[in-house]
């Protein structure tokens, strides 16, 4: 039962990271810079494959039963989920601050 739960959290973290790379490749910032990953480019797919490999290898070792792999997997999954939490919080705070700013401008305009 514990292995199933650890596997689910690791796969969730991996999926979030892969989706993040794909979504970020859709932004206008993906067009700038030499190392930018444009959507559906070889660089984007290599980044997704590298992220998946960095999760799948420790997950496979954990499923086999090697004791040190649980610590590595916990660090990777915890780090990944923490990063995604920070991204969501920063996105929501920026969204709500822009919304509040536009409402304040509307109120100031109507006075």
């Amino acid at each position: 039962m514990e292995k199933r739960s650890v596997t689910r959290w690791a796969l969730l973290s991996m999926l979030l990271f892969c989706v993040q790379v794909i979504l970020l490749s859709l932004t206008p910032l993906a067009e700038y810079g030499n190392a930018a990953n444009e959507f559906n480019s070889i660089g984007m797919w290599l980044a997704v494959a590298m992220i998946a490999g960095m999760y799948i290898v420790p997950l496979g070792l954990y499923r086999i039963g090697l004791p040190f792999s649980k610590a590595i997997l916990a660090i990777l999954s915890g780090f990944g989920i923490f990063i995604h939490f920070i991204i969501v919080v920063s996105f929501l705070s920026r969204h709500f601050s822009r919304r509040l700013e536009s409402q304040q401008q509307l109120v100031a305009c109507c006075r």
Side-chain angles (χ1 to χ4, degrees), residues 57-103:
V57 170
L59 183 60
L61 295 174
Y62 172 71
R63 296 291 291 183
I64 290 171
L66 296 176
F68 67 89
S69 61
K70 184 176 182 179
I72 294 171
L73 195 57
I75 291 169
L76 286 174
S77 297
F79 186 64
I81 291 172
F82 177 72
I83 287 174
H84 290 293
F85 175 74
I86 296 298
I87 289 171
V88 168
V89 168
S90 65
F91 173 76
L92 290 176
S93 66
R94 185 170 181 191
H95 173 72
F96 287 124
S97 68
R98 281 188 176 182
R99 185 178 234 183
L100 181 63
E101 182 180 298
S102 65
Q103 288 175 351

